[in-house]
Amino acid sequence: ERSFEDPEDLSPKRKTSVFASSQWGRGPQHKNMFSIVSLATFALSISASSTTMSSETFSIPDQPARFAKAKEDGNTRYLDIESVYDPAFLKNKRVAVTGANRGIGLAIATELTRVGAKVVAINRSDSDDLQALNPSETVLGVDVRDDEKCEAIKDQIKGGPIDILINNAGYFYEPLETIDSLNFPEQIKTIDICAMGPLRVTASLLHGGLLKEGSKVIMITSQGGSVGWRFVQNPNGHDYGHHMSKAAANMMAVLLAQEVKSKGIMVGVFHPGFNKTGMTAKYKDIWEVEGAVDPSVGAKRILFEAGRLSLESTGKFINCEDGLEIPW
């Protein structure tokens, strides 16, 4: 894809070099023409990315086609995560998981416990299933929309620095949202939980000195946050709040990755794949054709990608099903 630079964001010196090298010169009218052409090129590249990015670098936007191709190719990475998953790196690591009391969060906590990691559960509420795992620490009463409660997390973690923080807590508004059924309060709630919530939690751990050089922050977002893929996955639009929240979460994660990279802290932006959880139960009729997996498999996919995360790949948007990138 071609890179895009807004002329207004360039320094005076850089503006001169850009416009001097263009055939339009540097006059105001030519500057506007440059901006229009750049915007058009950017829009075309986004549209193109929705259908053409299926190389070895980028995943495929069409979920059924992606799953079908994996079966046709005998893609063991996609179809059998056990073929590549080695959890040895997790042993004795302190891993904090938000929303660890149910769903994919509970599955992650369960797998972490199985492989000898030390789970720090950060939840709004507890569950018998979580407590049966005997986590190293449990921080309860955390509403990720609450600034004060999130900032207090750093003071409630007593066992020392966190090696991996997995921001998993999320929210999904189930009714279909069209232009005739918009629910603005629900949209704000979804964005607050899914985009601002992970930032609040991560900021607290950073402020408390609990994320040090070599630490990893995993943001569980969604392929639904890819603007380019909306042309394939949402050809008729709909579900505004959900998709806006995931796009906002992706932007937050990239900005965070840029800010903490100099500290040696890595940020993964992960689409966890299609998992058979209560949150996706409304889609259970398409679970099989689209390759939905048990949360225990989804957890291993996420942890496998967490192990691969490095300072070179920090801030990239990764599909945990196949390990390939998703275009923004």
Side-chain angles (χ1 to χ4, degrees):
E1 287 210 306
R2 295 183 63 181
S3 62
F4 173 72
E5 290 181 292
D6 183 347
E8 293 300 328
D9 290 338
L10 301 175
S11 66
K13 183 176 181 181
R14 179 76 175 109
K15 284 182 183 179
T16 300
S17 64
V18 167
F19 291 111
S21 65
S22 75
Q23 60 179 308
W24 299 303
R26 291 179 289 174
Q29 69 275 25
H30 300 121
K31 177 178 175 181
N32 290 335
M33 184 182 294
F34 182 86
S35 298
I36 292 169
V37 172
S38 296
L39 284 168
T41 302
F42 178 64
L44 286 171
S45 72
I46 285 290
S47 180
S49 73
S50 67
T51 56
T52 62
M53 284 189 169
S54 58
S55 67
E56 291 185 359
T57 300
F58 289 93
S59 192
I60 298 172
D62 187 315
Q63 181 88 33
R66 186 193 311 156
F67 182 48
K69 187 176 188 304
K71 291 189 290 184
E72 180 183 344
D73 295 346
N75 186 338
T76 54
R77 159 69 183 81
Y78 193 122
L79 302 173
D80 180 17
I81 191 63
E82 293 283 2
S83 65
V84 294
Y85 175 61
D86 180 359
F89 76 98
L90 292 166
K91 187 172 179 60
N92 293 321
K93 291 290 191 296
R94 283 175 52 78
V95 185
V97 184
T98 66
N101 58 327
R102 61 178 180 170
I104 190 68
L106 178 62
I108 292 171
T110 300
E111 175 61 14
L112 288 169
T113 301
R114 185 186 75 83
V115 301
K118 298 176 181 178
V119 176
V120 178
I122 302 173
N123 302 327
R124 185 174 58 178
S125 58
D126 207 349
S127 72
D128 292 340
D129 289 335
L130 174 61
Q131 285 309 307
L133 300 177
N134 192 28
S136 295
E137 297 185 62
T138 303
V139 180
L140 296 176
V142 178
D143 181 343
V144 296
R145 294 176 293 174
D146 189 304
D147 295 352
E148 292 183 359
K149 288 182 178 179
C150 286
E151 187 60 22
I153 294 172
K154 67 182 188 299
D155 301 317
Q156 298 178 65
I157 294 177
K158 306 298 185 182
I162 298 298
D163 296 298
I164 304 173
L165 166 63
I166 301 178
N167 283 294
N168 162 77
Y171 176 72
F172 185 63
Y173 177 64
E174 292 194 5
L176 178 68
E177 253 198 314
T178 72
I179 202 70
D180 296 318
S181 60
L182 296 172
N183 190 323
F184 293 113
E186 282 291 329
Q187 290 178 15
I188 294 298
K189 177 181 178 180
T190 306
I191 292 170
D192 200 0
I193 292 173
C194 296
M196 298 173 69
L199 184 58
R200 290 186 182 99
V201 173
T202 306
S204 175
L205 268 61
L206 284 166
H207 296 161
L210 295 173
L211 294 174
K212 300 184 180 297
E213 183 177 1
S215 295
K216 297 181 178 184
V217 178
I218 307 302
M219 300 294 184
I220 304 298
T221 68
S222 168
Q223 63 183 357
S226 168
V227 175
W229 277 12
R230 289 318 93 220
F231 297 98
V232 172
Q233 296 182 347
N234 288 79
N236 299 312
H238 303 164
D239 290 333
Y240 292 86
H242 170 67
H243 293 101
M244 288 191 298
S245 76
K246 298 307 182 182
N250 288 348
M251 176 63 80
M252 173 274 296
V254 172
L255 293 173
L256 178 67
Q258 294 296 92
E259 184 165 357
V260 301
K261 187 174 183 179
S262 63
K263 302 177 187 294
I265 298 171
M266 295 148 273
V267 178
V269 192
F270 291 174
H271 165 57
F274 198 6
N275 293 281
K276 298 176 180 179
T277 66
M279 193 171 286
T280 65
K282 65 180 288 188
Y283 302 117
K284 66 189 308 179
D285 58 324
I286 59 171
W287 272 354
E288 301 310 319
V289 71
E290 297 205 357
V293 298
D294 186 85
S296 63
V297 175
K300 292 174 183 177
R301 285 174 166 177
I302 291 166
L303 294 173
F304 174 69
E305 292 301 330
R308 295 179 64 198
L309 178 63
S310 68
L311 284 173
E312 287 67 40
S313 63
T314 188
K316 289 187 176 181
F317 189 11
I318 301 297
N319 182 356
C320 290
E321 291 174 342
D322 54 23
L324 300 177
E325 287 185 55
I326 298 175
W328 301 111

